Amino acid sequence: MPYALDSLLATPGLGPMPTDPRDLRGDQPVVPLDPMVAEAAARALESGQTHYVDVPGIAPLREATARLISEQGVICRPANVMITAGAQEARFLVLQILGDAAGPLVLPDVVHPGVRQAIGVRAIATLTVATDPARGMLVSPESLGAALAAGGRLIYLEAPVRLTGATYSQGEWAAIAALAAEHGAGIIVDQGLAPWADGPSAASALGSAGLARTTLIGELLPGQGLQSWQIGYIAADETWLPPLQSQKQIMAICTSTAAQYAALEAMEGSVGVRETLHPQLLERATAARAAAALQGLGPLPGGAGTVIAIHPPDGAATQATLAAQGYSAADGAAFGAPGVLRLAVGPETDLAAILEALA
Amino acid sequence: MTAQVKKGTDLLYSLIAEARTYPDAIIMGRGDPDFDTPAHIVAAARAAMDAHGADHSPTEGLLALREAISARVRRYNQIEADPETEVVVTNGGQEALFLMVLAAVGEGQGLLVPEPNYNTYNDALRFARGVKIGVPTSMHENFRVRPEQVRSAITPVAKALLLASPNNPSAGVIGREDQQALVALAREHDLTIIADDIYDLFVYDDIKHTSTAAVPGGRERTMTLNALSKSFSMTGWRLGWVVGPAPLMARVRQLKAAISGPTAIISQHAAIAALTGPDEPVRMMHATYERRRQMVLDALTSMGIPHGAPQGGQFVFADIGFTGLSSIELAQHILSTEHVLVYPGAAFAEGWENFLRITFLQPEDKLHEGLERMKRAMASIPASR
């Protein structure tokens, strides 16, 4: 039985995410669940929170998420927030609904595989812009300007870049914001890795225009043990929420109540987890990048503490060597960067030592 | 009356929003059972948080859950599904529905839909840029899906056939003989079948449920959805599934990866407990719904509202054409005057403007009060109509 979209759906993904420390394909730290978070979720279920809830999420979680985003430097109200079943659902919704309504989409040629998968479900007009390997697969404001001049109306960026962890500078954000304003374009930013980077966040850099032009997505509370509870968010202008909400209703009605109450507890009760983990991961990523350079593995510039990317002379051979030692890396080809490998930096993994052992 | 300008799902949500403004509202519209999730399932979820809260799941779901689903569909539906390749766990029946429509129907392709139909099928089909090919049914035949009606509706773009049994909102059940004829028709025209079994455990009056995929020739072309929302009162957990032949399920799995990724881990562990645990909660709910269904039918009869004999589901679809009001007008009248939410038939499909869907998912005292209020609302319909 032939289907019209088979070729689009052949787009490679990353497969299931890590289950053990030797699996280096992930981009968010895998940590145990805080017992207090589990307790809060269990209490909510035991008190009867087992029914449908509002499509955009339970009110206290939307309020807490709005506060979290506002702390990044952009005014965000609960009415701007929708809770999603993980980052991929957020990606799918904004790419399909905003892309269809406000596109064509301007897409970097290196992005998380989930982006191409989401667009593959239903054709969306896109313009592709080249990324710069020498800058960790960032796109330049100049190339974005050219795409907007060619008709692009909705820029999709990752900040940090999901493959490399590279981040945009304050000056680049200012230039991107000016270009978007000049062309009447919107900007979608996947800032899921932002908690693990020190550069200026998209929210803070683009905050002067509020969420009028910018839509933010990502995992909610990464690094707090909720990685498999599938909890993400979209923060968007209030005019965008109704169509996003309608589509979410069509797709799933609402996000798991247990996950929402767990996230609420994690947000309100587990202060300090990121503060402890973040410097440790940044240090490990820096050490791993140095080790990769010493081994001639071609580390790409990065910035986030949870991943490094390498472009070795023979990517397949390096992948095979890692596999022989029981490690698996994310294949850059799935991101649009053949030959590049992404390696997770986790709290339980000494990546620098692993790379040194490759010699 | 803002509801008047809205359609389909948006119409229903605008009515839900209005109902929330009334502190004494009685909800007889939305399909959310009033029972909380059984305690043994919640207890299993709590235990799983400690033991498995940080585990990862493949996109298609934990193997242990897929095995439990495979056993469930074998036991209740007589469907064989290989847990390795023929089961995908979803974010509720709603996502299962969305995935199946996208897997079966591409841009410009047609889905044969017996009407009335659950409104989200219209929405999913619109997203897929597909074409709805309506197949009429009639209350006077208990909304039977006549194979000859389906045959006459088939057009060159038809690629798939929706068979929801029991149907939402009509509560009609497709009997075995009709299932066999419909499967034969699908084979003849190479149609993929989307089977919606979400109310399979809720049939009444000695009606037997037959799954499309259990009919000879059905399995190899049928994707079947189900979920725990209705059977175990687990609407908030968002846990459903699709089973079907491996080639179709590979496509469902790809779509699931593109749309949302794996289903939340704790919901999956709760589902294992539901599917491998005692059946008593389902039997208790069935017995309760059977009593409540009779309450609704008796009340409708006393109001002079024709309703047929609903065979399954958790609702009654009743003909209010004699009132002279459209279903939207009447639902709005009942809501604004008596604060009782029922769903207008117009939200489900065109041509059903004269029907209301009334659920029996409230405790019996509340349901009784809701029906009494509805009677008052019916008696206060403006005389000019």
Side-chain angles (χ1 to χ4, degrees), chain B residues 75-101:
Chain B
R75 177 180 173 191
Y76 288 105
N77 306 100
Q78 293 74 53
I79 298 172
E80 292 297 324
D82 182 344
E84 295 282 357
T85 58
E86 298 184 323
V87 180
V88 172
V89 178
T90 62
N91 293 333
Q94 192 90 336
E95 189 181 54
L97 177 168
F98 189 63
L99 295 171
M100 293 201 307
V101 170

mmCIF file of all heavy atoms in Angstrom, chain B residues 75-101:
data_model
loop_
_atom_site.group_PDB
_atom_site.id
_atom_site.type_symbol
_atom_site.label_atom_id
_atom_site.label_comp_id
_atom_site.label_asym_id
_atom_site.label_seq_id
_atom_site.Cartn_x
_atom_site.Cartn_y
_atom_site.Cartn_z
ATOM 1 N N ARG B 75 -7.049 -11.135 24.213
ATOM 2 C CA ARG B 75 -8.100 -11.615 25.108
ATOM 3 C C ARG B 75 -9.462 -10.995 24.784
ATOM 4 O O ARG B 75 -10.470 -11.688 24.716
ATOM 5 C CB ARG B 75 -7.707 -11.288 26.546
ATOM 6 C CG ARG B 75 -8.765 -11.668 27.563
ATOM 7 C CD ARG B 75 -8.327 -11.315 28.979
ATOM 8 N NE ARG B 75 -9.405 -11.532 29.929
ATOM 9 C CZ ARG B 75 -9.385 -11.120 31.192
ATOM 10 N NH1 ARG B 75 -8.324 -10.490 31.639
ATOM 11 N NH2 ARG B 75 -10.406 -11.343 31.988
ATOM 12 N N TYR B 76 -9.484 -9.683 24.614
ATOM 13 C CA TYR B 76 -10.770 -8.999 24.470
ATOM 14 C C TYR B 76 -11.185 -8.783 23.019
ATOM 15 O O TYR B 76 -12.356 -8.571 22.735
ATOM 16 C CB TYR B 76 -10.726 -7.633 25.171
ATOM 17 C CG TYR B 76 -10.733 -7.720 26.668
ATOM 18 C CD1 TYR B 76 -9.575 -7.483 27.403
ATOM 19 C CD2 TYR B 76 -11.895 -8.047 27.362
ATOM 20 C CE1 TYR B 76 -9.573 -7.556 28.783
ATOM 21 C CE2 TYR B 76 -11.904 -8.130 28.742
ATOM 22 C CZ TYR B 76 -10.741 -7.882 29.449
ATOM 23 O OH TYR B 76 -10.751 -7.967 30.815
ATOM 24 N N ASN B 77 -10.230 -8.735 22.127
ATOM 25 C CA ASN B 77 -10.553 -8.356 20.750
ATOM 26 C C ASN B 77 -10.243 -9.444 19.729
ATOM 27 O O ASN B 77 -10.506 -9.269 18.544
ATOM 28 C CB ASN B 77 -9.787 -7.078 20.369
ATOM 29 C CG ASN B 77 -10.031 -5.946 21.344
ATOM 30 O OD1 ASN B 77 -9.216 -5.685 22.217
ATOM 31 N ND2 ASN B 77 -11.172 -5.295 21.226
ATOM 32 N N GLN B 78 -9.620 -10.518 20.182
ATOM 33 C CA GLN B 78 -9.228 -11.602 19.285
ATOM 34 C C GLN B 78 -8.326 -11.079 18.161
ATOM 35 O O GLN B 78 -8.404 -11.503 17.003
ATOM 36 C CB GLN B 78 -10.444 -12.343 18.704
ATOM 37 C CG GLN B 78 -11.246 -13.139 19.736
ATOM 38 C CD GLN B 78 -12.070 -12.228 20.645
ATOM 39 O OE1 GLN B 78 -12.827 -11.413 20.147
ATOM 40 N NE2 GLN B 78 -11.919 -12.365 21.944
ATOM 41 N N ILE B 79 -7.464 -10.150 18.522
ATOM 42 C CA ILE B 79 -6.500 -9.601 17.565
ATOM 43 C C ILE B 79 -5.105 -10.080 17.968
ATOM 44 O O ILE B 79 -4.712 -9.951 19.134
ATOM 45 C CB ILE B 79 -6.518 -8.049 17.561
ATOM 46 C CG1 ILE B 79 -7.889 -7.524 17.143
ATOM 47 C CG2 ILE B 79 -5.429 -7.499 16.641
ATOM 48 C CD1 ILE B 79 -8.037 -6.014 17.305
ATOM 49 N N GLU B 80 -4.368 -10.627 17.019
ATOM 50 C CA GLU B 80 -2.980 -11.009 17.265
ATOM 51 C C GLU B 80 -2.084 -9.833 16.877
ATOM 52 O O GLU B 80 -2.168 -9.325 15.754
ATOM 53 C CB GLU B 80 -2.606 -12.239 16.430
ATOM 54 C CG GLU B 80 -3.318 -13.512 16.860
ATOM 55 C CD GLU B 80 -2.968 -13.935 18.288
ATOM 56 O OE1 GLU B 80 -1.809 -13.754 18.700
ATOM 57 O OE2 GLU B 80 -3.870 -14.430 18.987
ATOM 58 N N ALA B 81 -1.249 -9.393 17.825
ATOM 59 C CA ALA B 81 -0.339 -8.272 17.553
ATOM 60 C C ALA B 81 1.018 -8.587 18.179
ATOM 61 O O ALA B 81 1.103 -8.793 19.396
ATOM 62 C CB ALA B 81 -0.902 -6.979 18.116
ATOM 63 N N ASP B 82 2.045 -8.631 17.351
ATOM 64 C CA ASP B 82 3.393 -8.895 17.832
ATOM 65 C C ASP B 82 3.877 -7.670 18.623
ATOM 66 O O ASP B 82 3.975 -6.579 18.062
ATOM 67 C CB ASP B 82 4.318 -9.138 16.625
ATOM 68 C CG ASP B 82 5.743 -9.466 17.046
ATOM 69 O OD1 ASP B 82 6.102 -9.207 18.222
ATOM 70 O OD2 ASP B 82 6.505 -9.965 16.192
ATOM 71 N N PRO B 83 4.182 -7.851 19.916
ATOM 72 C CA PRO B 83 4.584 -6.679 20.707
ATOM 73 C C PRO B 83 5.860 -6.015 20.208
ATOM 74 O O PRO B 83 6.098 -4.837 20.480
ATOM 75 C CB PRO B 83 4.763 -7.239 22.122
ATOM 76 C CG PRO B 83 4.838 -8.717 21.977
ATOM 77 C CD PRO B 83 4.102 -9.079 20.731
ATOM 78 N N GLU B 84 6.674 -6.744 19.472
ATOM 79 C CA GLU B 84 7.928 -6.160 18.966
ATOM 80 C C GLU B 84 7.683 -5.183 17.822
ATOM 81 O O GLU B 84 8.353 -4.159 17.719
ATOM 82 C CB GLU B 84 8.862 -7.280 18.469
ATOM 83 C CG GLU B 84 9.345 -8.222 19.566
ATOM 84 C CD GLU B 84 10.466 -7.621 20.404
ATOM 85 O OE1 GLU B 84 10.906 -6.504 20.092
ATOM 86 O OE2 GLU B 84 10.870 -8.279 21.386
ATOM 87 N N THR B 85 6.752 -5.502 16.964
ATOM 88 C CA THR B 85 6.618 -4.717 15.720
ATOM 89 C C THR B 85 5.205 -4.222 15.424
ATOM 90 O O THR B 85 5.010 -3.476 14.474
ATOM 91 C CB THR B 85 7.050 -5.574 14.508
ATOM 92 O OG1 THR B 85 6.224 -6.756 14.473
ATOM 93 C CG2 THR B 85 8.507 -5.975 14.594
ATOM 94 N N GLU B 86 4.239 -4.625 16.220
ATOM 95 C CA GLU B 86 2.855 -4.324 15.841
ATOM 96 C C GLU B 86 2.061 -3.577 16.907
ATOM 97 O O GLU B 86 0.833 -3.550 16.869
ATOM 98 C CB GLU B 86 2.131 -5.631 15.453
ATOM 99 C CG GLU B 86 2.777 -6.297 14.236
ATOM 100 C CD GLU B 86 2.055 -7.530 13.750
ATOM 101 O OE1 GLU B 86 1.538 -8.296 14.603
ATOM 102 O OE2 GLU B 86 2.017 -7.741 12.527
ATOM 103 N N VAL B 87 2.784 -2.962 17.836
ATOM 104 C CA VAL B 87 2.130 -2.189 18.895
ATOM 105 C C VAL B 87 2.888 -0.872 19.073
ATOM 106 O O VAL B 87 4.115 -0.881 19.155
ATOM 107 C CB VAL B 87 2.135 -2.958 20.245
ATOM 108 C CG1 VAL B 87 1.444 -2.139 21.329
ATOM 109 C CG2 VAL B 87 1.479 -4.327 20.107
ATOM 110 N N VAL B 88 2.180 0.248 19.127
ATOM 111 C CA VAL B 88 2.786 1.534 19.467
ATOM 112 C C VAL B 88 1.944 2.176 20.565
ATOM 113 O O VAL B 88 0.723 2.303 20.429
ATOM 114 C CB VAL B 88 2.881 2.471 18.240
ATOM 115 C CG1 VAL B 88 3.326 3.875 18.662
ATOM 116 C CG2 VAL B 88 3.854 1.919 17.202
ATOM 117 N N VAL B 89 2.608 2.565 21.653
ATOM 118 C CA VAL B 89 1.950 3.244 22.776
ATOM 119 C C VAL B 89 1.857 4.730 22.445
ATOM 120 O O VAL B 89 2.799 5.312 21.892
ATOM 121 C CB VAL B 89 2.756 3.029 24.077
ATOM 122 C CG1 VAL B 89 2.110 3.760 25.248
ATOM 123 C CG2 VAL B 89 2.882 1.541 24.375
ATOM 124 N N THR B 90 0.721 5.343 22.774
ATOM 125 C CA THR B 90 0.479 6.736 22.374
ATOM 126 C C THR B 90 0.033 7.592 23.556
ATOM 127 O O THR B 90 -0.334 7.079 24.610
ATOM 128 C CB THR B 90 -0.625 6.791 21.298
ATOM 129 O OG1 THR B 90 -1.842 6.272 21.875
ATOM 130 C CG2 THR B 90 -0.246 5.957 20.085
ATOM 131 N N ASN B 91 0.031 8.903 23.327
ATOM 132 C CA ASN B 91 -0.491 9.842 24.326
ATOM 133 C C ASN B 91 -2.021 9.837 24.266
ATOM 134 O O ASN B 91 -2.648 10.750 23.743
ATOM 135 C CB ASN B 91 0.053 11.252 24.068
ATOM 136 C CG ASN B 91 1.547 11.351 24.304
ATOM 137 O OD1 ASN B 91 2.112 10.592 25.085
ATOM 138 N ND2 ASN B 91 2.194 12.271 23.620
ATOM 139 N N GLY B 92 -2.609 8.795 24.762
ATOM 140 C CA GLY B 92 -4.060 8.665 24.783
ATOM 141 C C GLY B 92 -4.619 8.204 23.448
ATOM 142 O O GLY B 92 -3.910 8.096 22.443
ATOM 143 N N GLY B 93 -5.926 7.938 23.460
ATOM 144 C CA GLY B 93 -6.593 7.551 22.227
ATOM 145 C C GLY B 93 -6.562 8.668 21.203
ATOM 146 O O GLY B 93 -6.579 8.420 19.993
ATOM 147 N N GLN B 94 -6.503 9.910 21.700
ATOM 148 C CA GLN B 94 -6.522 11.055 20.787
ATOM 149 C C GLN B 94 -5.285 11.042 19.883
ATOM 150 O O GLN B 94 -5.394 11.248 18.676
ATOM 151 C CB GLN B 94 -6.557 12.344 21.611
ATOM 152 C CG GLN B 94 -6.861 13.585 20.795
ATOM 153 C CD GLN B 94 -8.358 13.857 20.727
ATOM 154 O OE1 GLN B 94 -9.177 12.967 20.878
ATOM 155 N NE2 GLN B 94 -8.708 15.095 20.482
ATOM 156 N N GLU B 95 -4.111 10.811 20.462
ATOM 157 C CA GLU B 95 -2.918 10.768 19.625
ATOM 158 C C GLU B 95 -2.960 9.536 18.714
ATOM 159 O O GLU B 95 -2.518 9.592 17.554
ATOM 160 C CB GLU B 95 -1.630 10.759 20.451
ATOM 161 C CG GLU B 95 -0.405 10.925 19.556
ATOM 162 C CD GLU B 95 0.919 10.898 20.304
ATOM 163 O OE1 GLU B 95 1.173 9.928 21.053
ATOM 164 O OE2 GLU B 95 1.698 11.842 20.137
ATOM 165 N N ALA B 96 -3.482 8.445 19.241
ATOM 166 C CA ALA B 96 -3.601 7.238 18.413
ATOM 167 C C ALA B 96 -4.428 7.536 17.165
ATOM 168 O O ALA B 96 -4.073 7.149 16.047
ATOM 169 C CB ALA B 96 -4.238 6.112 19.230
ATOM 170 N N LEU B 97 -5.525 8.240 17.378
ATOM 171 C CA LEU B 97 -6.406 8.630 16.267
ATOM 172 C C LEU B 97 -5.639 9.488 15.249
ATOM 173 O O LEU B 97 -5.684 9.239 14.034
ATOM 174 C CB LEU B 97 -7.579 9.402 16.869
ATOM 175 C CG LEU B 97 -8.689 10.044 16.064
ATOM 176 C CD1 LEU B 97 -9.803 10.456 17.020
ATOM 177 C CD2 LEU B 97 -8.261 11.229 15.231
ATOM 178 N N PHE B 98 -4.933 10.483 15.781
ATOM 179 C CA PHE B 98 -4.196 11.410 14.915
ATOM 180 C C PHE B 98 -3.142 10.659 14.098
ATOM 181 O O PHE B 98 -3.007 10.855 12.887
ATOM 182 C CB PHE B 98 -3.538 12.480 15.798
ATOM 183 C CG PHE B 98 -2.925 13.634 15.056
ATOM 184 C CD1 PHE B 98 -3.701 14.493 14.294
ATOM 185 C CD2 PHE B 98 -1.565 13.894 15.141
ATOM 186 C CE1 PHE B 98 -3.136 15.570 13.628
ATOM 187 C CE2 PHE B 98 -0.990 14.967 14.487
ATOM 188 C CZ PHE B 98 -1.779 15.814 13.723
ATOM 189 N N LEU B 99 -2.419 9.762 14.758
ATOM 190 C CA LEU B 99 -1.381 8.999 14.072
ATOM 191 C C LEU B 99 -1.984 8.094 12.998
ATOM 192 O O LEU B 99 -1.445 7.978 11.888
ATOM 193 C CB LEU B 99 -0.603 8.142 15.081
ATOM 194 C CG LEU B 99 0.218 8.893 16.127
ATOM 195 C CD1 LEU B 99 0.754 7.934 17.188
ATOM 196 C CD2 LEU B 99 1.365 9.657 15.477
ATOM 197 N N MET B 100 -3.099 7.468 13.316
ATOM 198 C CA MET B 100 -3.707 6.549 12.347
ATOM 199 C C MET B 100 -4.192 7.297 11.112
ATOM 200 O O MET B 100 -4.019 6.820 9.978
ATOM 201 C CB MET B 100 -4.874 5.790 12.986
ATOM 202 C CG MET B 100 -4.451 4.822 14.078
ATOM 203 S SD MET B 100 -5.674 3.515 14.408
ATOM 204 C CE MET B 100 -7.140 4.438 14.678
ATOM 205 N N VAL B 101 -4.806 8.453 11.317
ATOM 206 C CA VAL B 101 -5.289 9.226 10.160
ATOM 207 C C VAL B 101 -4.107 9.638 9.290
ATOM 208 O O VAL B 101 -4.135 9.500 8.060
ATOM 209 C CB VAL B 101 -6.111 10.449 10.621
ATOM 210 C CG1 VAL B 101 -6.395 11.381 9.454
ATOM 211 C CG2 VAL B 101 -7.424 9.993 11.256
#
